[in-house]
Amino acid sequence: IVLTLEQNLRACVPLEAFRAALLVLQRMLSWSQHSGKRLPEAPWRQVWQAVVHSLLHISALLEEEGAAESVRGWLPAVLQHMLVINMVLVHGASFLPQASMQQQFAYEVVRLHKAFGRLFKVGKRHDKSGKVVEALSLVRTIISKTLDKLDDPHGRSHSQAEVMGALRGLQLEVDPKIAASLQNWQLPAENPTYTSFFQSLCRQLIRCYREDDTLWQLTPSAVPSRLPASE
């Protein structure tokens, strides 16, 4: 997942590859949330950073003149990223290995508040449906309330401890629409174009599985770099 999401769309990596990697992650989060079992220990911080990096990378592309027309499928991709981000911000304490990881993720979101502000402007400019702005409402609320709790929020830089302290004191009321969409979220219908991606990924994971229940580190060449072209 991390290896895919850290790729550069400018290098002709198909957007469908990003969406397939996110779907793997969504399946894991959804299973953990509904089964009541916490996810195993893993470098989750790298995963969340990759998700945010991928989202803001798409946002940066869309800021370029005419990019919204050339980057096909950008709107579903942005909304899929935001679904994962909102799932972690709302329910992360219940399915992450430690509840504190949820606040650590929220810290990363606040730290990148200027980039999310640019994404908000991109959404207002290019998304006539208003879905991007709606999906960003929770992130914007967290950022706004956290900055309000800090001394001179738009002036000096603040330490991680100061920001984390502000986050701990937040009392958030999640928008009912977002809460309902997360609670009722169902896996989408199987996309035939993802079949070869998942088959190749599963074969690689099985090959890497060892008797001591660990996985060898996957290399970029180990997973498919592209998916079949959509119909």
Side-chain angles (χ1 to χ4, degrees):
I1 293 171
V2 172
L3 288 170
T4 301
L5 295 179
E6 287 182 343
Q7 298 305 307
N8 191 333
L9 279 172
R10 298 177 193 275
C12 297
V13 177
L15 197 58
E16 285 295 300
F18 287 69
R19 298 197 63 194
L22 283 170
L23 185 57
V24 174
L25 181 57
Q26 285 175 275
R27 287 174 182 271
M28 295 170 63
L29 300 185
S30 181
W31 172 83
S32 183
Q33 179 184 346
H34 290 94
S35 67
K37 296 182 180 180
R38 289 187 178 276
L39 293 168
E41 291 288 347
W44 290 109
R45 183 176 181 182
Q46 294 179 28
V47 176
W48 310 138
Q49 287 177 336
V51 171
V52 173
H53 163 85
S54 175
L55 172 63
L56 298 181
H57 178 49
I58 295 173
S59 174
L61 286 179
L62 294 173
E63 289 183 77
E64 299 176 2
E65 189 68 29
E69 291 74 29
S70 61
V71 183
R72 295 181 58 190
W74 71 267
L75 178 57
V78 168
L79 294 177
Q80 193 175 3
H81 280 80
M82 288 309 306
L83 179 60
V84 171
I85 289 172
N86 286 332
M87 284 181 73
V88 178
L89 290 173
V90 176
H91 299 297
S94 65
F95 59 71
L96 291 173
Q98 290 95 35
S100 61
M101 289 183 173
Q102 183 186 42
Q103 287 188 341
Q104 292 170 0
F105 177 66
Y107 165 77
E108 292 295 329
V109 169
V110 174
R111 187 176 65 84
L112 295 168
H113 63 92
K114 292 182 179 179
F116 276 102
R118 291 194 294 271
L119 175 60
F120 177 78
K121 293 178 180 178
V122 166
K124 289 189 69 175
R125 185 165 66 249
H126 296 302
D127 174 28
K128 304 303 181 185
S129 69
K131 292 180 179 179
V132 171
V133 171
E134 182 179 307
L136 280 165
S137 62
L138 178 60
V139 164
R140 298 186 74 228
T141 298
I142 291 174
I143 290 173
S144 175
K145 290 192 173 185
T146 302
L147 293 181
D148 285 346
K149 283 179 168 288
L150 296 173
D151 296 328
D152 192 17
H154 302 291
R156 67 181 181 83
S157 298
H158 294 82
S159 67
Q160 180 175 352
E162 288 176 310
V163 177
M164 291 291 286
L167 282 168
R168 292 189 192 98
L170 288 187
Q171 296 294 327
L172 289 177
E173 294 184 4
V174 180
D175 186 298
K177 290 184 179 180
I178 292 180
S181 67
L182 296 176
Q183 188 65 31
N184 301 323
W185 182 78
Q186 300 291 329
L187 287 172
E190 292 293 337
N191 186 333
T193 63
Y194 293 163
T195 302
S196 62
F197 176 86
F198 287 126
Q199 287 178 344
S200 299
L201 182 61
C202 288
R203 281 197 295 268
Q204 179 63 22
L205 290 172
I206 292 171
R207 261 201 313 271
C208 293
Y209 197 72
R210 293 168 39 182
E211 293 182 359
D212 60 354
D213 295 339
T214 63
L215 290 171
W216 293 99
Q217 182 178 1
L218 296 177
T219 61
S221 60
V223 295
S225 60
R226 61 182 304 168
L227 299 174
S230 301
E231 294 293 335

